[in-house]
Amino acid sequence: MDNQSSSSSSSFSIKDGLKTEPDSVFKNKSLLRSDRIVDEDRIVGRDNQLSEVIRLLKVGLYGDTPEDMLLYGPSGTGKSLIMGAVSQQLVAIGEENGTDIAVVELNCRNLKSEDRAAYSIIDQLARKVGVETKIAKKGVSTSEKYTRLFDLVSDHLDLAIIILDELDLLWGNRRSKNETPAFADLLYKLTRSDRIGGLDGEIAVSVLTNNAKKIEENLDSRTESTFGPQKILFSDYDANQIQQILQRRQDAFYENTLEDEVISKAAAFGAQGDGDARKAIDLLRFAGTFADRQGDDKVTASHLERAQEKVEQQYTLDIIGNVSLQKKAVLYSAALIDVYGERDDSKIPNPTIYQVYSDLCSRQGMNLRSEESVRRWMREYETMGIVQSQRTSRGKAKGIHTEYSLEKNAENIVKTISEAEGRFPGLDEIRNQIQNQVNQKLRTFYRY
DNA sequence: ACTCCACTGGAAATGAAGGCAG
DNA sequence: CTGCCTTCATTTCCAGTGGAGT
């Protein structure tokens, strides 16, 4: 009878190994997560926006319903940060003085329909409140979902703050041009609740977007009458502000683990063109991770450089990570044409995309989808901001066609997709084979 | 005016998830 | 559990459109 568990004589102790702190430049890595809610002394240069949001939300503590809000401005300018920080405190204060407030933040990027969004809101809210809603994903009509949402609010809350991040991306599957996009329907149903009465608790909706125009232009008159938000503009950070933001998060690292110029270089990268603080923060985090991985005890400019590529790749993945295999295959094909095409205008003709995609499908043993589908997907990519299109003609009575150009680095796209879906080969593995095929197809198409 | 062929958008078909009554 | 009914998402079908050269 051997009793191994109690008489271990191994010189290596799992417990001790686990207990010692990991060798890292990070003291508190989570400070560099851009989605994390930070305390107010880390917020830089958003005083007006902050006080405006506070002014609008605080009536919720005194039995009123806060007005709906539209926070707009480029990405990485603190919209989500400020909304999150204020509403979190609001909940805390509410707890002290007996007001039941719940906050639901919903990123609409990966939601495909109004129904999914409604489901997601109820699901989160139920969890916050601590009830079993037993709401079904499907088989229950969307309007029934709203009913249960309103019941939930009535029964358990004085105020529900619903934050809809990147709402402009909730476009949905419009069957025709006159149909309203999904976000308009969602907004209407959520805001209408205030007017129909019978609701004990109240709902305040905050929309966060970098494309306010797209939202405002697509609201039907019905929604306009129920959703009249207070608008708050978030402008780009300047280089100086980004540097301050990074400095105020410097304590994510142990002392003396950052080389002198690292902060200013990271800030410069974030300020490059678009004043995006999120980018700078992500960059710093990735750089630190690289340093750790290599066992270095200082973060250097060279770590920063490697991190830069990684950040770009991560952002591409954020956009296309959730699209289907078929759609990835199409974008991958388009990117291959950009990389290997011999033409110097680096235009990507739509019919050639289909051909390259067809080849890819047969090599990969995938089912081939129709040309219409591929066209629709390319148009989708255009609304995501990954490609741009232009209608043009080949001349000699060969009709019109659409030419695409990529908004992002083509090699980056190929690499990202190939890493996300192992079945698609990386650039180096296929160079010779593909280069010829691509150029031959281009020649056939343009007849030269 | 005609032709080429790529493009467009509505609508039908197909597929998938899941509720609910018996 | 089974059969039948929703709802929603995806894909294809198809008839019509459009730009430039002949």
Side-chain angles (χ1 to χ4, degrees):
Chain A
M1 190 152 327
D2 44 12
N3 191 342
Q4 292 167 340
S5 57
S6 62
S7 63
S8 160
S9 60
S10 158
S11 62
F12 184 83
S13 154
I14 296 177
K15 207 170 172 187
D16 289 350
L18 286 172
K19 268 184 164 176
T20 48
E21 269 189 56
D23 212 11
S24 171
V25 294
F26 291 115
K27 189 165 68 183
N28 182 0
K29 194 171 179 174
S30 71
L31 277 179
L32 293 179
R33 294 181 51 90
S34 43
D35 56 348
R36 188 194 131 111
I37 295 174
V38 298
D39 27 279
E40 57 209 82
D41 49 358
R42 295 184 202 277
I43 296 174
V44 172
R46 298 284 103 138
D47 293 352
N48 295 339
Q49 291 88 343
L50 195 55
S51 59
E52 187 68 2
V53 171
I54 290 173
R55 184 180 71 79
L56 289 167
L57 278 185
K58 74 184 197 188
V59 302
L61 291 170
Y62 306 100
D64 261 342
T65 309
E67 287 183 70
D68 297 327
M69 284 181 235
L70 177 65
L71 278 53
Y72 65 107
S75 50
T77 51
K79 300 183 287 294
S80 175
L81 177 78
I82 285 189
M83 212 40 226
V86 177
S87 52
Q88 196 188 48
Q89 300 245 9
L90 197 76
V91 172
I93 297 174
E95 266 170 26
E96 287 167 20
N97 69 13
T99 314
D100 287 326
I101 303 174
V103 181
V104 174
E105 181 162 3
L106 189 66
N107 190 304
C108 302
R109 177 184 291 270
N110 294 321
L111 298 173
K112 305 217 166 161
S113 69
E114 181 202 352
D115 181 82
R116 262 23 347 234
Y119 170 76
S120 200
I121 292 171
I122 306 164
D123 191 48
Q124 274 194 57
L125 206 57
R127 231 171 281 170
K128 288 267 159 83
V129 174
V131 254
E132 290 278 330
T133 40
K134 222 189 118 200
I135 180 79
K137 276 192 176 172
K138 289 192 176 181
V140 164
S141 74
T142 305
S143 63
E144 174 64 18
K145 285 175 184 147
Y146 285 112
T147 308
R148 299 205 197 168
L149 169 66
F150 298 147
D151 285 349
L152 197 64
V153 174
S154 278
D155 293 349
H156 298 97
L157 292 170
D158 299 309
L159 173 65
I161 300 175
I162 299 179
I163 305 174
L164 304 171
D165 206 349
E166 301 195 84
L167 183 68
D168 52 291
L169 297 181
L170 183 63
W171 192 251
N173 243 14
R174 291 199 305 173
R175 285 198 307 287
S176 77
K177 289 221 153 169
N178 342 323
E179 268 179 55
T180 49
F183 64 69
D185 294 329
L186 178 69
L187 273 181
Y188 174 67
K189 305 256 177 44
L190 286 179
T191 52
R192 189 183 54 138
S193 64
D194 294 339
R195 319 237 159 170
I196 52 180
L199 191 62
D200 282 340
E202 304 287 357
I203 293 178
V205 178
S206 293
V207 174
L208 278 49
T209 179
N210 55 21
N211 196 346
K213 212 172 125 196
K214 183 170 167 193
I215 289 184
E216 289 178 323
E217 282 175 358
N218 287 291
L219 293 184
D220 47 327
S221 53
R222 178 195 63 150
T223 312
E224 271 168 351
S225 69
T226 60
F227 177 70
Q230 291 294 315
K231 296 171 66 174
I232 305 175
L233 169 68
F234 285 67
S235 49
D236 283 331
Y237 291 114
D238 59 36
N240 193 21
Q241 286 172 324
I242 292 188
Q243 182 144 356
Q244 278 185 52
I245 290 170
L246 294 184
Q247 273 160 0
R248 291 190 196 184
R249 299 195 187 204
Q250 222 177 108
D251 52 336
F253 296 93
Y254 285 109
E255 271 177 54
N256 300 320
T257 52
L258 292 184
E259 254 185 16
D260 290 345
E261 77 279 29
V262 165
I263 292 257
S264 57
K265 280 193 173 160
F269 174 70
Q272 222 175 69
D274 46 5
D276 186 344
R278 180 183 313 159
K279 219 170 179 178
I281 292 172
D282 285 342
L283 186 66
L284 217 48
R285 191 180 71 251
F286 277 123
T289 309
F290 275 130
D292 275 359
R293 208 170 290 165
Q294 293 178 350
D296 299 339
D297 48 11
K298 265 190 184 255
V299 183
T300 67
S302 81
H303 293 133
L304 220 58
E305 257 165 51
R306 288 186 55 195
Q308 201 156 327
E309 189 190 347
K310 191 78 189 166
V311 169
E312 296 292 356
Q313 216 171 322
Q314 182 61 48
Y315 285 9
T316 308
L317 196 60
D318 284 347
I319 301 175
I320 61 164
N322 273 18
V323 308
S324 68
L325 186 67
Q326 287 283 349
K327 290 184 195 179
K328 282 202 189 88
V330 168
L331 184 62
Y332 177 86
S333 306
L336 285 182
I337 298 171
D338 185 305
V339 174
Y340 292 128
E342 61 197 0
R343 297 168 59 82
D344 23 319
D345 57 6
S346 78
K347 293 281 193 233
I348 312 169
N350 216 4
T352 311
I353 296 177
Y354 191 73
Q355 293 185 338
V356 172
Y357 156 78
S358 306
D359 282 2
L360 183 69
C361 281
S362 59
R363 271 203 310 277
Q364 298 289 328
M366 289 165 55
N367 292 326
L368 186 68
R369 294 285 180 271
S370 68
E371 292 180 49
E372 288 87 346
S373 290
V374 171
R375 277 191 210 105
R376 274 177 223 263
W377 298 337
M378 286 308 293
R379 276 182 275 168
E380 245 178 71
Y381 281 128
E382 186 165 22
T383 66
M384 293 182 196
I386 298 181
V387 300
Q388 245 195 354
S389 77
Q390 200 182 352
R391 285 192 119 195
T392 181
S393 165
R394 267 183 295 166
K396 304 233 181 205
K398 290 302 167 203
I400 51 169
H401 68 278
T402 305
E403 271 179 351
Y404 285 100
S405 52
L406 299 178
E407 297 279 281
K408 290 181 171 288
N409 179 279
E411 289 172 26
N412 189 303
I413 289 179
V414 173
K415 206 171 159 191
T416 307
I417 295 181
S418 143
E419 278 170 27
E421 299 284 346
R423 61 191 301 171
F424 297 140
L427 278 176
D428 301 327
E429 304 162 47
I430 46 171
R431 167 154 278 135
N432 298 332
Q433 205 191 0
I434 300 290
Q435 193 152 26
N436 289 335
Q437 283 183 18
V438 163
N439 281 309
Q440 204 224 313
K441 288 186 197 315
L442 281 174
R443 276 180 224 130
T444 317
F445 182 74
Y446 286 114
R447 307 190 177 221
Y448 62 90

